[in-house]
């Protein structure tokens, strides 16, 4: 029986809770915390943590430093949040004697005695990564004293490329405005930039290019260098080096020179002086990222020089202090060969001519971040050049941030592909790294859609270890971000794993590509055929006519297939035996071609569209069943986005089917539903307000 006073006290406590909880819940569960949420452990996992009850301590003789301080602070914060008691019995010892973070971050975690866990490595960076790795294990509910890890990063550069503009807009950004408030910097540094660095360090990201590759030269002006310095100083303890996208014509644009010719001595002096100026402010400046002679950007070819001439000139300016990341995303207005062949044709002959501090950055596929492409033939084809893998985390071509598509399977498909030259794509970039075009913005949850956080997370995890499976990554992300409940994970992990294939099916099945609306790339527009450059038109890619559909890239067509080694090309040469997921990427086939299912090509195409639409319906139903496992706010956000995706998957299917029918004149396969509207309806839709342009 409760006494009067007790009842009053309890009531008061309940009222206080009621008053606080909506605010606290909103703060805690709006997605801002990302994978650093460290939700309190329960049951056995909590009991184990309580028994261990560690304090965090540095090994005797350890030199102090800001990076080690971050590791300690993160451990303390994470442990407290997970439910570790204040009274300590055990210890987590940080045994990373050397200060600084110049090492690669390799770490070991092992139990040392009954109540002590040691995180060990060469320098403070090892303890930084080890601390986050341990917290991840604990957040997944693992027994602390059973944690035994021995890890090292697979590649030196694990990078995010922001396509953020100086005015705060973001090219291909679907999560609000840029997180970089250049106008208020350097005096004001948004707290968000620290949380961003924490989230990155937790997944091993060690480099960030802060501005769009379509870069104006102003980013190289002194006022921007001062702003960048503020960011670099703030991120240094988190192990992140800053890079700048540099406009190749800067010596002309802001330097007062008459030329930007890379072989001109005045131009070379200008870049050297600019590099010195940057290094005076930012001693660990990462280097320059350059988009040259691509989509209207200036470059060395404007002066009859090669990509190697341009990149090496910048490498000479940086010296051993930094790295030039030179993008291979090129296709030319004057080149009427297959766009998919052009990067290889321009770059492979230059193998061996790039300086050691130049890395050539290659998109995962030969065209442009499509829902599915075969891997880029440059991987493995330049053994004397350091290469980097470029993936797009922001979903320019996969439904922006309102479609749920977990991209680990897309990147794994490329990374795991054998190049036929003695290794996989992942092997080909071990000396360079991986760069992901960021999907991060000012939205409270960072990425627009909650599940888009998983793509940021997955990219970092794969750059650290491309051997991880998509399923492992999905499981650890979902458990940290939403909840550890087994039933929830059993439903949501498969949903994530199938989501990218669903997008492929309702947008670009069977190897079709680049059928999106002009400029904004939102929604279907396979009918577009009147843009000035052929390769800007969807009809260039699908080549559909009454006789058939698909791009012949065999010897009878563009012969892009010949850019792959014979053993790889052989897999795609015969449409009868090949993987049909990329069938129409390589072949132009008649509509009545018999696919392996026994269906005609036309019927198979419609079948896959329908499969994609049905998969999204299943995803929505799966999510709907998770209401009890997810906080109300994030549950509703995801449910709302899935409704958008359900509607837009149907739109993609119907508009595409209506268009193909207008071309092939065929009736719908038996049982297929007619499009909701006629083709004229879909063609008339316009979206001048679409984000990200
Ligand atoms: C930054 C695609 C995108 C462009 C992007 C370009 C690139 O073409 O649509 O917005 O420009 O890729 O990767 O440079």
């Amino acid at each position: 029986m409760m006494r009067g006073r007790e009842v009053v006290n309890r009531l008061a406590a309940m009222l206080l809770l009621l008053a606080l909880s909506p605010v606290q819940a909103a703060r805690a569960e709006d997605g801002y915390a990302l994978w650093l949420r460290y939700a309190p452990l329960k049951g056995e996992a909590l009991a184990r943590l309580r028994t261990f009850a560690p304090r965090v301590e540095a090994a005797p003789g350890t030199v102090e430093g800001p990076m080690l301080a971050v590791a300690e602070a993160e451990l303390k914060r994470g442990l407290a949040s997970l439910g570790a008691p204040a009274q300590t019995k055990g210890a987590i010892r940080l045994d990373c004697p050397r200060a600084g973070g110049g090492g690669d971050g390799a770490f070991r975690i092992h139990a040392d005695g009954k109540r002590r866990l040691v995180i060990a490595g060469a320098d403070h960076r090892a303890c930084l990564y080890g601390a986050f790795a341990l917290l991840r294990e604990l957040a997944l509910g693992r027994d602390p004293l059973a944690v035994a890890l021995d890890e090292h990063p697979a590649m030196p550069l694990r990078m995010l490329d922001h396509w953020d503009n100086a005015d705060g807009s973001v090219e291909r950004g679907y999560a609000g405005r840029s997180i970089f408030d250049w106008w208020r910097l350097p005096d004001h540094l948004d707290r968000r930039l620290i949380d961003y660095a924490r989230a990155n360090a937790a997944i091993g990201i060690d480099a960030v290019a802060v501005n769009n590759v379509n870069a104006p030269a102003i980013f190289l002006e002194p006022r921007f260098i001062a702003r960048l310095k503020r960011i670099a100083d703030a991120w240094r303890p988190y192990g992140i080096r800053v890079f700048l996208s540099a406009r190749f014509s800067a010596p002309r644009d802001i330097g007062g020179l008459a030329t930007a010719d890379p072989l001109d001595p005045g131009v070379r002096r200008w870049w050297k002086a600019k590099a010195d100026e940057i290094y005076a402010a930012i001693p660990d400046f990462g280097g320059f990222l350059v988009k040259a002679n691509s989509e209207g950007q200036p470059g060395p070819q404007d002066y009859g020089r090669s990509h190697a001439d341009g990149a090496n000139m910048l490498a000479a300016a940086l010296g051993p202090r930094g790295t030039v990341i030179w993008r291979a995303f090129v296709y030319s207005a004057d080149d009427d060969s297959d766009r998919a062949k052009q990067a290889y044709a321009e770059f492979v002959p230059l193998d061996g001519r790039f300086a050691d501090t130049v890395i050539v950055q290659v998109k995962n596929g030969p065209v442009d971040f499509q829902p599915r492409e075969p891997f880029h033939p440059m991987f493995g084809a330049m053994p004397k050049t350091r290469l980097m893998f470029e993936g797009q985390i922001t979903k320019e071509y996969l439904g922006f941030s309102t479609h749920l598509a977990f991209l680990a399977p897309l990147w794994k498909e490329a990374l795991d592909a054998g190049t036929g030259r003695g290794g996989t794509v992942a092997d080909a970039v071990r000396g360079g790294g991986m760069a992901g075009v960021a999907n991060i913005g000012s939205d409270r949850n960072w990425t627009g859609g909650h599940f888009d956080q998983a793509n940021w997370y997955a990219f970092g995890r794969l750059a650290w270890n491309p051997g991880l499976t998509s399923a492992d990554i999905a499981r650890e992300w979902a458990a940290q971000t939403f909840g550890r409940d087994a039933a929830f994970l059993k439903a949501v992990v498969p949903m994530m794993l199938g989501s990218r294939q669903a997008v492929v099916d309702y947008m670009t099945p069977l190897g079709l590509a680049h059928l999106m609306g002009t400029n904004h790339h939102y929604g279907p527009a396979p009918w577009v055929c009147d843009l000035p450059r052929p390769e800007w038109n969807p009809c260039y890619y699908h080549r559909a006519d009454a006789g058939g559909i698909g791009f012949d890239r065999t010897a009878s067509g563009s012969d892009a297939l010949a850019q792959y080694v014979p053993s790889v090309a052989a897999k795609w040469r015969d449409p009868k035996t090949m993987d049909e997921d990329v069938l129409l990427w390589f072949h132009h086939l008649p509509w009545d071609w018999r696919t392996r299912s026994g269906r005609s090509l036309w019927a198979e195409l419609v079948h896959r569209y329908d499969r994609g639409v049905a998969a999204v319906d299943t995803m929505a139903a799966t999510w709907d069943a998770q209401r009890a496992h997810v906080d109300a706010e994030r549950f509703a956000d995801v449910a709302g986005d899935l409704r958008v995706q359900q509607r837009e998957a149907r739109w993609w299917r119907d508009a595409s089917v209506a268009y193909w029918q207008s071309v092939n004149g065929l009736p719908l396969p038996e049982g297929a539903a007619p499009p909701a509207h006629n083709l004229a309806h879909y063609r008339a839709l316009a979206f001048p307000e679409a984000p990200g342009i």
Side-chain angles (χ1 to χ4, degrees):
M1 252 287 220
M2 270 194 278
R3 278 183 304 206
R5 176 142 195 108
E6 260 177 59
V7 173
V8 171
N9 283 347
R10 285 220 177 168
L11 266 177
M14 273 170 62
L15 282 174
L16 188 68
L17 262 182
L18 274 178
L20 286 178
S21 56
V23 178
Q24 285 179 340
R27 283 231 179 97
E29 301 297 1
D30 54 12
Y32 185 82
L34 297 163
W35 40 91
L36 306 176
R37 190 166 150 263
Y38 304 129
L41 292 168
K42 291 184 189 140
E44 246 182 76
L46 179 61
R48 284 193 298 251
L49 184 65
R50 292 217 154 140
T51 318
F52 177 33
R55 66 182 174 281
V56 181
E57 61 184 31
T62 304
V63 180
E64 286 182 10
M67 205 181 267
L68 193 71
V70 165
E72 283 189 47
E74 288 293 336
L75 275 172
K76 285 180 189 159
R77 175 178 177 162
L79 285 164
S81 177
L82 288 165
Q87 303 293 339
T88 61
K89 296 180 237 165
I92 294 174
R93 174 166 284 196
L94 298 172
D95 189 5
C96 301
R98 285 206 310 273
D104 73 352
F107 64 85
R108 281 186 311 117
I109 304 180
H110 61 279
D112 169 18
K114 264 205 182 143
R115 284 197 192 276
R116 194 162 69 183
L117 205 55
V118 179
I119 303 178
D123 69 12
H124 292 179
R125 185 183 290 267
C127 275
L128 177 75
Y129 294 150
F132 279 116
L134 175 59
L135 285 170
R136 176 166 55 239
E137 295 289 305
L138 298 181
L140 295 174
R142 309 251 155 86
D143 180 354
L145 286 160
V147 173
L149 297 175
D150 186 351
E151 296 200 6
H152 64 273
M155 46 193 90
L157 276 174
R158 305 173 300 278
M159 183 163 184
L160 292 183
D161 290 353
H162 282 259
W163 287 357
D164 293 22
N165 300 315
D167 65 0
S169 61
V170 181
E171 182 155 346
R172 311 308 177 188
Y174 313 106
R177 306 275 296 167
S178 170
I179 57 170
F180 303 109
D181 191 347
W182 297 108
W183 195 248
R184 293 172 82 197
L185 281 161
D187 304 287
H188 174 82
L189 183 97
D190 197 317
R191 164 81 217 170
R192 184 177 269 257
L193 291 191
I194 302 296
D195 289 330
Y196 169 83
R198 296 177 57 229
N200 277 335
I203 51 175
I205 296 286
D206 67 350
V208 172
V210 296
N211 61 325
N212 192 352
V213 287
N214 293 328
I218 55 166
F219 275 98
L220 295 160
E221 287 184 348
R223 68 182 191 284
F224 272 90
I225 295 172
R227 295 163 178 173
L228 189 64
K229 172 185 165 41
R230 180 80 202 272
I231 297 174
D233 289 345
W235 286 354
R236 194 166 294 115
Y238 298 88
I240 297 170
R241 291 175 81 181
V242 295
F243 281 69
L244 265 185
S245 293
R247 187 171 173 86
F248 198 77
S249 57
R252 288 182 59 180
D253 301 345
I254 59 167
L257 302 189
T259 178
D261 181 348
L263 300 192
D264 179 272
V267 169
R268 298 177 80 86
R269 271 197 303 277
W270 188 87
W271 279 108
K272 171 76 171 55
K274 184 52 70 183
D276 291 347
E277 182 188 344
I278 297 174
Y279 279 103
I282 308 169
D284 57 352
F285 175 62
F288 295 130
L289 169 64
V290 187
K291 172 175 177 177
N293 294 119
S294 168
E295 298 189 328
Q297 294 302 311
Q301 293 175 343
D302 304 347
Y303 305 94
R305 316 297 184 194
S306 72
H307 288 292
D309 294 330
N312 292 347
M313 179 273 292
L314 290 177
L318 295 175
R321 300 172 292 190
T323 305
V324 175
I325 301 177
W326 194 268
R327 297 179 84 227
F329 176 68
V330 295
Y331 59 98
S332 161
D334 316 314
D335 186 343
D336 57 8
S337 71
D338 178 359
R339 173 176 166 186
K341 291 174 68 176
Q342 294 183 25
Y344 181 104
E346 275 191 46
F347 277 85
V348 172
L350 298 175
D351 189 28
R353 289 186 42 201
F354 289 97
D356 290 348
T357 50
V358 172
I359 299 180
V360 174
Q361 183 170 287
V362 184
K363 288 191 179 180
N364 61 285
V367 170
D368 194 9
F369 299 139
Q370 295 304 295
R372 173 167 277 126
E373 297 185 37
F375 72 88
H376 203 301
M378 279 176 68
F379 291 118
M382 297 183 69
K384 294 184 226 130
T385 307
R386 291 170 72 196
L387 296 185
M388 204 163 166
F389 176 102
E390 183 177 1
Q392 195 180 43
I393 308 175
T394 189
K395 302 205 305 300
E396 172 182 357
Y397 294 102
L398 287 100
F400 300 180
S401 58
T402 33
H403 291 207
L404 194 164
F406 178 53
L407 300 183
L410 188 161
W411 299 317
K412 283 289 282 180
E413 224 168 79
L415 290 166
D416 290 349
T419 61
R421 303 176 203 254
T424 61
V425 169
D427 294 330
V429 299
R430 276 182 207 276
M434 283 174 61
V437 180
N439 62 347
I440 294 149
S442 59
D443 278 6
R444 181 71 192 158
N445 71 8
W446 300 87
T447 53
H450 289 285
F451 276 83
D452 286 304
Q453 297 179 355
N455 293 329
W456 174 8
Y457 182 86
F459 199 86
R461 296 288 286 138
L462 285 173
W464 179 270
N465 178 5
L468 292 173
T469 67
S470 300
D472 285 343
I473 297 172
R475 197 172 302 109
E476 63 180 48
W477 174 80
Q480 292 171 93
T481 307
F482 280 111
R484 308 173 188 101
D485 187 278
F488 171 77
L489 295 175
K490 197 166 166 217
V492 165
V493 170
M495 175 185 91
M496 291 172 72
L497 293 177
S499 58
R500 177 273 191 140
Q501 181 61 42
V503 175
V504 171
D505 281 343
Y506 64 73
M507 284 189 186
T508 52
L510 287 169
L512 290 171
H514 224 303
L515 307 182
M516 294 78 189
T518 305
N519 271 341
H520 47 59
H521 299 154
Y522 171 65
W527 45 81
V528 171
C529 211
D530 57 358
L531 301 176
R533 277 174 61 172
E535 73 282 359
W536 287 350
N537 291 287
C539 68
Y540 171 90
Y541 297 94
H542 64 64
R543 304 192 170 209
D545 56 22
I549 182 170
F551 199 133
D552 182 2
R553 292 192 163 102
T554 67
S556 56
S558 80
D559 207 15
L561 205 49
Q563 292 182 338
Y564 296 92
V565 296
S567 60
V568 173
K571 291 200 288 194
W572 294 322
R573 189 163 292 122
D574 183 353
K576 287 199 213 73
T577 54
M578 70 179 284
D579 173 5
E580 289 180 340
D581 279 344
V582 283
L583 186 67
L584 302 177
W585 183 277
F586 288 112
H587 298 279
H588 184 86
L589 297 169
W591 293 100
D592 62 359
W593 170 267
R594 217 26 70 191
T595 63
R596 287 225 289 287
S597 64
R599 285 184 275 269
S600 70
L601 179 58
W602 170 230
E604 180 67 21
L605 205 56
V606 177
H607 167 74
R608 293 200 179 204
Y609 283 122
D610 285 331
R611 188 172 77 181
V613 171
V616 180
D617 287 346
T618 304
M619 282 159 60
T622 301
W623 185 252
D624 200 46
Q626 307 312 313
R627 193 183 291 268
H629 297 294
V630 181
D631 51 283
E633 188 173 345
R634 290 188 298 168
F635 177 82
D637 287 349
V638 174
D641 284 350
L642 281 165
R643 278 194 294 277
V644 173
Q645 191 171 3
Q646 285 180 284
R647 195 173 61 239
E648 294 187 353
R650 284 180 168 73
W651 167 35
W652 263 98
R653 181 265 183 207
D654 284 354
S656 306
V657 168
Y659 174 69
W660 304 134
Q661 278 196 291
S662 79
V663 172
N664 64 19
L666 293 171
L668 282 168
E670 213 183 303
H677 302 279
N678 63 20
L679 182 58
H681 166 88
Y682 297 113
R683 290 184 70 135
L685 299 175
F687 306 95
E689 77 284 19
I693 305 170

